[in-house]
Amino acid sequence: MRLPKPSAARSGKKPAAVVSVLGAVALLASACGGGADAGAQQSAAASPVAGGNLNFAVSVDRGCIDPQQVGNNDAIAIARQTVASLTAQDPKTGEIVPWLAEKFENNANATSFTFTLRTGATYADGTAIDAASVKTNFEAIKALGAKATLGSTYLSDVSAITVKDPQTVVVDFSKPNAQFLQATSTFTLGLLSPASAKLSEADRCAGKFSGSGPFNVKSYTVDKEAVLERRSGYNWPSSTNSNKGEAYLDSVTFKIIPEAGNRTGSLQSGQIDATAAISAADIQLFSGNGFWNETRANPGVVYNLYSNESNPKLKETAVRQAISKAINREEITKTLLTEADQPAKGILSHTTPYFKDYSSLLAHDPDGAKKLLDDAGWKPGADGIREKNGEKLSFKVTYWQSPKEVLELVQQQLKAIGVDLQLKFTTIADVTAAQADKTYDFSYGNLTRSDPDVLRTVFASNTARGGSNLREKLPVDDTLGEQAAALDKDARQKLVDQAQEALIKDAHSIPLYELSTTISASEKVHDLKFEASSRLDFYDAWLSK
């Protein structure tokens, strides 16, 4: 997760079911915003030049760059470059378009998806990208289980994967799965060679895999750097890219620079060429003066406080509602983030297909919050913190993301209504462990995905992530399941809206602000872009000589 700044056409006749799924996404272009072509204006009149190494800084290293296992943005920036996917998603329209699959279709109820692969594409070890290798990949992701933090959820209801012929693979699900085509465009379902599936999880994390994308892993030193080199012979991009052959860059070196000040200094001095981790205070240093910035909100679930509703105090709807009303989301973005960052207007960010503005339900209302707590029997104590039956209205948020200033401000806002919020900064492993053994009150985070089914992933009580809220099954769970099965655009929109409204009104979700990613780069860097999920794409990038 980012530190907030402190087409090739389908061949043949389209089956009706294909139109219903893809049309639903394409018609949502108005819901997708932000600059999708980073630096496009400053390089529009220039012609790409091949060669050179681009030095790019990331802020943290989790010790893994396997695209099928990683989950944080810094690792994804590295891993995404090494794999191609069956499909791609247009960042401007949201449409799903061909990539490794030159044609795809689904049945009428979205339980069966057929992919016809292009010929001639290979993995880095020379193995052909064929239907059998797709089956091997998807089965390997399912076998990873929770270690494939995203991919395993996209494939959780797979009932069969059938190789029809060398270029045709069919993926069947046990229930309707309208989100699957978008899932096949993501890095986490990017394809690795069949031999890579036989590697240990540790070796895959160490970058010893062979991918299908425009770059290979040349070397990886944990907590220091990862070096990717151009893949010779790569010429199977999607229509979302302007480049149609090998990558222009000889290599990309991802340098691990944990300190924000050091990243700023490194970009100013030319030790690095670009980064997506400049602090909010320093962003304007790179607006002109030989540099450029480009910002795009990440689609998916915005930063949230996730409550453990097995905690008796947080099981009280009034308590959760009061906490949400006490939060001044505008103050968070205006005082701590950048002009390009936006407060949460709902659970989904504004770049997510099927987005709807629910700002009215998230208005700052401290008086309303106090009344809710008064009516629920929580009265201010001598120290101002509310009490009931001898128990303080006190909670702890366990988190690993920076900057802490956001949660410190939320802490102040909650104190104003008599709620004590303690902050516990720790490792991602400790956060995961706390969720597993139910020893947390609140966790904190977001989840990036350019499909509204991300709501089900995060909030449904029967999913691995949603279950971490530890709440009982509610009608909204059925709604989340129904939207995942809806092929009609209007029907799915209504279900997504219904689910969001229910989650916000009862404060099962307490949204804070949208995660956004800002590329800050030297003016010699051209066409470093965002893909639809606001992941970085280095394939079109090039350097001025």
Side-chain angles (χ1 to χ4, degrees):
M1 299 178 183
R2 183 184 68 85
L3 291 175
K5 299 158 290 297
S7 13
R10 272 176 227 91
S11 60
K13 183 179 180 181
K14 289 183 182 178
V18 178
V19 177
S20 64
V21 172
L22 300 185
V25 179
L27 290 172
L28 291 168
S30 61
C32 298
D37 297 318
Q41 293 82 5
Q42 55 87 34
S43 63
S47 297
V49 176
N53 172 71
L54 192 156
N55 288 303
F56 188 91
V58 296
S59 60
V60 67
D61 184 9
R62 301 296 173 195
C64 187
I65 57 172
D66 173 14
Q68 295 177 358
Q69 293 188 70
V70 298
N72 74 296
N73 280 358
D74 284 344
I76 292 167
I78 302 168
R80 168 76 272 190
Q81 319 314 316
T82 66
V83 286
S85 303
L86 288 176
T87 65
Q89 187 173 17
D90 191 308
K92 296 177 181 177
T93 68
E95 183 184 6
I96 305 301
V97 299
W99 193 349
L100 291 174
E102 63 182 8
K103 185 171 68 173
F104 41 85
E105 61 188 46
N106 55 273
N107 65 357
N109 63 351
T111 58
S112 184
F113 296 80
T114 300
F115 299 90
T116 303
L117 303 182
R118 67 197 301 166
T119 58
T122 62
Y123 296 102
D125 61 7
T127 307
I129 298 175
D130 59 10
S133 70
V134 174
K135 177 181 172 71
T136 297
N137 269 270
F138 288 177
E139 289 177 342
I141 291 170
K142 284 179 66 67
L144 283 169
K147 292 188 176 180
T149 56
L150 300 174
S152 60
T153 66
Y154 302 161
L155 298 170
S156 60
D157 296 315
V158 167
S159 58
I161 303 173
T162 306
V163 176
K164 303 290 285 188
D165 60 53
Q167 300 307 120
T168 308
V169 62
V170 179
V171 183
D172 292 317
F173 289 84
S174 58
K175 57 186 178 182
N177 203 339
Q179 60 84 32
F180 184 60
L181 281 183
Q182 192 279 331
T184 64
S185 74
T186 64
F187 71 92
T188 196
L189 296 189
L191 301 185
L192 302 175
S193 72
S196 299
K198 300 177 182 178
L199 296 173
S200 68
E201 293 163 3
D203 280 348
R204 288 175 53 165
C205 277
K208 297 180 180 180
F209 56 82
S210 294
S212 52
F215 291 93
N216 296 326
V217 179
K218 181 178 181 180
S219 63
Y220 174 41
T221 305
V222 174
D223 289 331
K224 182 181 179 183
E225 67 178 25
V227 181
L228 306 184
E229 59 184 357
R230 177 173 56 209
R231 167 88 185 276
S232 177
Y234 179 89
N235 64 352
W236 43 89
S238 79
S239 60
T240 61
N241 290 106
S242 57
N243 187 6
K244 302 304 176 187
E246 295 179 4
Y248 298 119
L249 297 169
D250 289 332
S251 58
V252 183
T253 299
F254 292 88
K255 297 180 177 290
I256 317 301
I257 305 179
E259 295 298 326
N262 290 342
R263 293 191 296 274
T264 295
S266 295
L267 184 54
Q268 288 176 315
S269 66
Q271 295 177 64
I272 62 172
D273 304 305
T275 183
I278 293 296
S279 69
D282 291 345
I283 283 287
Q284 290 307 311
L285 295 174
F286 304 103
S287 181
N289 304 313
F291 299 93
W292 55 266
N293 292 315
E294 186 76 15
T295 299
R296 190 175 194 269
N298 285 40
V301 171
V302 302
Y303 268 109
N304 265 252
L305 284 177
Y306 302 111
S307 57
N308 173 359
E309 295 184 27
S310 69
N311 178 320
K313 290 180 288 187
L314 289 172
K315 192 172 184 177
E316 291 188 42
T317 301
V319 170
R320 300 193 308 272
Q321 290 172 330
I323 288 171
S324 186
K325 285 179 179 292
I327 295 171
N328 188 334
R329 295 162 177 86
E330 293 280 352
E331 184 181 20
I332 292 172
T333 55
K334 287 182 177 179
T335 61
L336 296 176
L337 305 178
T338 75
E339 293 180 357
D341 287 296
Q342 297 190 26
K345 298 180 178 66
I347 308 175
L348 299 175
S349 81
H350 76 275
T351 54
T352 315
Y354 296 86
F355 165 79
K356 183 176 179 179
D357 192 327
Y358 283 99
S359 299
S360 62
L361 298 181
L362 297 171
H364 181 222
D365 182 12
D367 290 337
K370 291 175 183 177
K371 185 177 187 308
L372 280 168
L373 294 176
D374 286 338
D375 293 347
W378 291 97
K379 305 301 181 182
D383 58 358
I385 302 304
R386 293 176 181 266
E387 302 176 0
K388 183 167 69 172
N389 300 326
E391 188 172 10
K392 293 277 191 180
L393 197 55
S394 180
F395 304 102
K396 182 182 293 182
V397 55
T398 305
Y399 72 105
W400 62 271
Q401 297 94 329
S402 297
K404 66 178 181 178
E405 289 79 9
V406 168
L407 290 176
E408 287 175 340
L409 181 52
V410 171
Q411 183 183 50
Q412 294 172 25
Q413 293 171 352
L414 295 189
K415 188 175 182 180
I417 67 162
V419 175
D420 175 44
L421 184 69
Q422 298 296 319
L423 311 184
K424 181 183 179 182
F425 181 76
T426 185
T427 66
I428 187 172
D430 285 344
V431 170
T432 302
Q435 290 175 333
D437 60 20
K438 307 179 184 181
T439 58
Y440 75 102
D441 299 324
F442 285 104
S443 60
Y444 168 71
N446 79 301
L447 184 61
T448 295
R449 189 183 179 190
S450 190
D451 189 274
D453 194 56
V454 69
L455 290 170
R456 183 172 62 94
T457 301
V458 174
F459 293 103
S461 62
N462 62 347
T463 63
R465 284 178 178 263
S468 67
N469 281 42
L470 302 171
R471 62 169 174 80
E472 60 189 19
K473 187 179 185 302
L474 296 171
V476 71
D477 290 289
D478 294 331
T479 307
L480 290 168
E482 289 167 12
Q483 67 77 30
L487 297 177
D488 178 77
K489 170 189 176 292
D490 292 336
R492 195 178 191 205
Q493 183 74 64
K494 289 179 181 178
L495 290 164
V496 171
D497 293 347
Q498 182 181 336
Q500 271 206 90
E501 188 170 341
L503 290 166
I504 294 172
K505 281 186 172 180
D506 285 343
H508 299 298
S509 169
I510 303 177
L512 301 179
Y513 66 97
E514 293 186 353
L515 169 67
S516 67
T517 301
T518 296
I519 300 171
S520 299
S522 162
E523 64 182 3
K524 72 177 184 178
V525 177
H526 303 264
D527 293 331
L528 175 54
K529 299 178 179 179
F530 292 113
E531 58 176 34
S533 293
S534 296
R535 309 304 189 186
L536 301 178
D537 184 354
F538 289 78
Y539 173 56
D540 289 339
W542 56 281
L543 295 169
S544 299
K545 296 296 186 181

